[in-house]
Amino acid sequence: MAAKEVEKEQNAMPFPALDAKDMAILKLLQQNARITVREIAEQVHLSTTPVHERIRRMEETGVIKQYATLVDHAKVKKGLMVICYVSLKQHNRRAGARFIKDIQEMQEVIECYNISGEFDFMLKVVAENMDAYYDFHVNKLSQVDNMGHLQSVFVMGIIKQTHQLVH
Amino acid sequence: MAAKEVEKEQNAMPFPALDAKDMAILKLLQQNARITVREIAEQVHLSTTPVHERIRRMEETGVIKQYATLVDHAKVKKGLMVICYVSLKQHNRRAGARFIKDIQEMQEVIECYNISGEFDFMLKVVAENMDAYYDFHVNKLSQVDNMGHLQSVFVMGIIKQTHQLVH
DNA sequence: ACTGAAAGACACAGACT
DNA sequence: AGTCTGTGTCTTTCAGT
């Protein structure tokens, strides 16, 4: 398969509805991004050309966002995972945009969602250990402009972690 | 690259410390699981053989967990994301194990963590829409044995979502 | 551990049904 | 929208630093 990276405007194009064969292809790719087109073709009972064409189209239309390699947290010294809740002092557009920009630049923050409820954002943060997280919390996150309340919830165990949206 | 799937015992083997070249390889693979060995070799200033060997070793030792294809939630009809907090009534080992087994079988639950604080678990749930989530909440999640309190927080916007642990 | 070469497998494009 | 065929590129192995 090609070494070409998927980088498209995510919501730019309309896309035709995915049929059962597209879903079957996606399911296989989800589990193993490096499966060969041949192997997919065999399993979905097509030849390589249409499989190739369908994958190309799903890349183009943004159905496929990325081919990612998932790495063991602990083995790259990111053994601590923390869920962090944030509320801002002010809620105008400028303040929000500034916060978002800051968050996107922080390598420790691997996910950030705008959420309903008493807090404004939920962050997933990874760090080597508690010292590193404390440093991040006190010296980076707390220092962000317009920061209101902050609450940390520690992940003590990973029960399930998957990216399987298609079944 | 091979179409071989990575499926090893996650914590089974010891692994030698990763050096700077391993990290550089991991960084490239994280961003694009389908990059060619040749391209990696060029960028880290090695020939293909050692790159191939290093990747193979990181697969074996579980540093590389999976080559995954990441799919656009909305485009596969999983546009609604909900964070769901769960507390159990009883906290003995059997009750916990039973809950974990049930959760792992639910396709709607894509992540589940054991957490500190007033709740026992945090779940990330995806569904097509609010109706589908309501159905999941009332007819599946609430029905789980030993279920205590349940609280849902809705994701209104995705600010950041990455798997980049190595920089 | 690395380089370089060499064999076989693969992606990808083209002509056609 | 699909199968078949061919070309160039890639993975993967092996002998030699």
Side-chain angles (χ1 to χ4, degrees):
Chain A
M1 283 188 178
K4 188 182 12 167
E5 200 161 348
V6 184
E7 29 176 87
K8 296 285 161 191
E9 294 302 316
Q10 295 308 336
N11 297 307
M13 9 198 147
F15 66 103
L18 303 171
D19 65 14
K21 293 229 187 272
D22 288 322
M23 294 301 251
I25 292 168
L26 271 186
K27 188 179 168 186
L28 292 169
L29 279 171
Q30 268 184 148
Q31 292 161 203
N32 180 14
R34 281 164 84 166
I35 189 172
T36 63
V37 172
R38 284 176 180 226
E39 210 166 314
I40 296 172
E42 269 179 40
Q43 295 199 42
V44 300
H45 305 295
L46 283 172
S47 67
T48 60
T49 312
V51 171
H52 203 272
E53 176 60 22
R54 282 162 181 269
I55 293 172
R56 196 198 57 75
R57 188 156 51 232
M58 291 194 286
E59 288 172 0
E60 292 263 320
T61 55
V63 175
I64 291 173
K65 287 201 299 186
Q66 196 192 352
Y67 299 108
T69 297
L70 306 183
V71 166
D72 189 295
H73 290 235
K75 288 175 179 160
V76 291
K77 306 216 184 294
K78 294 287 159 100
L80 183 63
M81 187 184 296
V82 186
I83 308 297
C84 197
Y85 296 90
V86 169
S87 64
L88 301 183
K89 281 186 198 150
Q90 294 177 26
H91 291 84
N92 56 67
R93 183 172 298 207
R94 175 172 302 208
R98 176 62 196 272
F99 173 79
I100 287 169
K101 188 171 167 295
D102 289 340
I103 287 299
Q104 277 166 347
E105 286 170 2
M106 295 181 189
Q107 298 185 348
E108 296 91 342
V109 179
I110 58 169
E111 293 176 42
C112 176
Y113 304 104
N114 209 300
I115 55 171
S116 69
E118 78 181 288
F119 286 97
D120 298 319
F121 298 97
M122 187 192 102
L123 279 54
K124 190 190 280 181
V125 180
V126 290
E128 179 168 0
N129 51 37
M130 193 58 89
D131 282 355
Y133 179 73
Y134 182 78
D135 180 63
F136 166 77
H137 191 284
V138 172
N139 297 321
K140 289 180 84 170
L141 195 53
S142 300
Q143 300 307 313
V144 167
D145 217 43
N146 197 40
M147 179 60 68
H149 294 148
L150 259 174
Q151 190 176 310
S152 297
V153 172
F154 294 92
V155 172
M156 300 189 297
I158 299 173
I159 309 297
K160 183 176 186 175
Q161 216 174 19
T162 178
H163 304 87
Q164 190 100 3
L165 299 179
V166 178
H167 289 97
Chain B
M1 285 185 176
K4 186 182 15 169
E5 199 162 349
V6 184
E7 31 177 85
K8 296 283 163 194
E9 292 303 314
Q10 295 309 336
N11 297 306
M13 4 197 152
F15 66 104
L18 303 170
D19 65 14
K21 293 229 186 272
D22 289 321
M23 293 302 250
I25 293 168
L26 270 185
K27 187 179 169 186
L28 293 170
L29 279 171
Q30 267 184 150
Q31 292 161 204
N32 180 15
R34 282 164 84 166
I35 189 172
T36 63
V37 171
R38 283 179 178 223
E39 212 166 313
I40 296 172
E42 269 179 39
Q43 295 199 42
V44 301
H45 306 295
L46 285 171
S47 66
T48 59
T49 311
V51 172
H52 201 270
E53 177 61 20
R54 281 162 182 270
I55 293 172
R56 195 199 58 75
R57 188 155 50 232
M58 291 194 284
E59 289 172 357
E60 291 265 319
T61 55
V63 175
I64 291 174
K65 286 200 300 185
Q66 194 191 354
Y67 300 108
T69 297
L70 306 184
V71 165
D72 189 295
H73 290 234
K75 288 176 179 159
V76 292
K77 306 217 186 294
K78 294 286 159 96
L80 183 63
M81 188 184 295
V82 186
I83 307 298
C84 196
Y85 296 91
V86 170
S87 65
L88 300 183
K89 282 186 199 151
Q90 294 177 27
H91 293 83
N92 56 68
R93 182 172 298 205
R94 175 173 301 208
R98 177 61 196 273
F99 172 80
I100 288 168
K101 190 172 166 293
D102 289 340
I103 287 300
Q104 277 165 345
E105 286 170 2
M106 295 183 189
Q107 298 186 347
E108 295 91 341
V109 179
I110 58 169
E111 293 175 41
C112 175
Y113 304 104
N114 210 299
I115 54 171
S116 68
E118 77 181 289
F119 286 97
D120 298 319
F121 298 97
M122 188 191 101
L123 278 53
K124 191 189 279 182
V125 180
V126 290
E128 178 168 1
N129 51 36
M130 194 55 90
D131 282 355
Y133 179 72
Y134 182 78
D135 180 62
F136 166 77
H137 191 284
V138 172
N139 296 320
K140 289 180 83 170
L141 195 53
S142 300
Q143 299 308 314
V144 166
D145 218 43
N146 196 39
M147 179 59 68
H149 293 149
L150 259 173
Q151 191 176 312
S152 298
V153 172
F154 294 92
V155 172
M156 300 189 297
I158 299 173
I159 308 299
K160 183 176 186 175
Q161 216 172 22
T162 178
H163 304 85
Q164 190 100 0
L165 299 178
V166 178
H167 289 97

